[in-house]
Amino acid sequence: VIAHFRPKSLAGCELLITAGPTFEPIDPVRGLTNRSSGKMGFALARAAAEAGARVTLVAGPVHLPTPAGVLRVDVQTADDMLQAVLPRAQALGPQGVFIATAAVADWRPATLAPHKLKKNGKKVPPQLELSENEDILARVAALPAPPFCVGFAAESEHLEAHAREKLVRKKLPLVVGNLGPATFGHDDNSLLLVDAQGAAPLPADGSRADKRVLACALVAEIARRRAAWLQ
Ligand code: CTP
Ligand code: CA
């Protein structure tokens, strides 16, 4: 009952979050995508709304219900996601928070075939030329007055080193690492919080926890670090 009257950790805060994969079409029926269920991002959006934030969730193609009280913007490609994110991130200012959980496709087919590519009579498979997608998180972090930016790093090895490289390269105050593919599509996860000072596991004992429980703990951690970053 007492907890009910405690001020919420993100009361009045505007929070923007990306989630899920992006889908980069090759032709009208095929495309390139990443493995991401969107579960962690959706759980974070929900936890942030419960912590009092006004949450906008920019979601790639996933089959998940929109958390209560969250404004959802559906996108398909990385470029769609960038166009949805940039003006909203700009409007946040330093009081806001941007969390990038999306598994953005790093490359897209350089050209979109107007019709379905056919196997008919061709001896050689089609050669796909790729173009690199823009880094949405790095663009937001490089804004003149960026929000508090949180990146994610899903790695298959050397988690802390890769997460730290992303922290430095994208100029972020916090990167949340997790080791895949053990986490992909699962309901539980184990995280590593990497900042300029060091690295700390979440849960603190290095165990695994349900993604919804982790989301609440991570939102509390982000609220605490944002308050310190704003000082
Ligand atoms: N990210 C993004 N836009 C991209 C690529 C990544 O916003 N075009 C964000 C992700 O949402 C994540 C963070 O950047 O929060 C790290 O993504 P990741 O794919 O791990 O890093 P990359 O910089 O793409 O490096 P690599 O895939 O080579 O490990
Ligand atoms: Ca990538």
Side-chain angles (χ1 to χ4, degrees):
V1 183
I2 307 255
H4 208 83
F5 296 102
R6 211 188 299 147
K8 294 185 169 186
S9 64
L10 288 175
C13 174
E14 297 252 19
L15 188 142
L16 180 64
I17 178 165
T18 64
T22 67
F23 180 87
E24 315 293 329
I26 294 170
D27 67 19
V29 299
R30 305 185 181 91
L32 301 176
T33 193
N34 275 354
R35 285 182 68 177
S36 166
S37 66
K39 279 180 188 166
M40 192 68 216
F42 274 60
L44 270 175
R46 175 184 169 160
E50 282 169 358
R54 282 194 299 280
V55 180
T56 303
L57 171 63
V58 178
V62 291
H63 297 284
L64 292 172
T66 309
V70 168
L71 179 70
R72 175 173 180 174
V73 180
D74 284 313
V75 297
Q76 178 170 263
T77 67
D79 190 54
D80 294 341
M81 190 172 271
L82 179 72
Q83 303 311 325
V85 162
L86 262 191
R88 291 177 172 90
Q90 231 149 357
L92 289 177
Q95 297 287 330
V97 174
F98 176 59
I99 308 177
T101 72
V104 182
D106 290 317
W107 303 284
R108 65 178 180 279
T111 55
L112 170 61
H115 296 290
K116 186 183 175 192
L117 303 175
K118 303 301 286 180
K119 288 182 293 182
N120 292 351
K122 297 207 184 76
K123 297 256 152 38
V124 203
Q127 305 290 304
L128 274 186
E129 197 193 320
L130 300 177
S131 303
E132 190 169 327
N133 284 325
E134 265 206 70
D135 192 314
I136 301 165
L137 175 56
R139 276 291 291 274
V140 171
L143 286 171
F148 183 79
C149 288
V150 182
F152 269 69
E155 306 292 344
S156 60
E157 58 172 0
H158 309 307
L159 181 56
E160 186 178 344
H162 286 308
R164 187 164 302 290
E165 182 275 323
K166 282 164 192 174
L167 184 90
V168 173
R169 170 160 53 92
K170 306 190 191 209
K171 301 191 172 64
L172 309 170
L174 179 63
V175 169
V176 181
N178 66 267
L179 276 180
T183 62
F184 299 147
H186 286 230
D187 287 327
D188 66 353
N189 203 348
S190 174
L191 305 176
L192 187 69
L193 306 183
V194 177
D195 65 12
Q197 273 74 52
L202 190 78
D205 62 2
S207 62
R208 299 175 69 84
D210 185 274
K211 283 184 182 174
R212 283 165 301 180
V213 175
L214 270 181
C216 289
L218 186 53
V219 161
E221 191 67 35
I222 289 169
R224 197 176 63 68
R225 288 162 182 261
R226 163 188 177 253
W229 181 80
L230 279 171
Q231 302 264 294

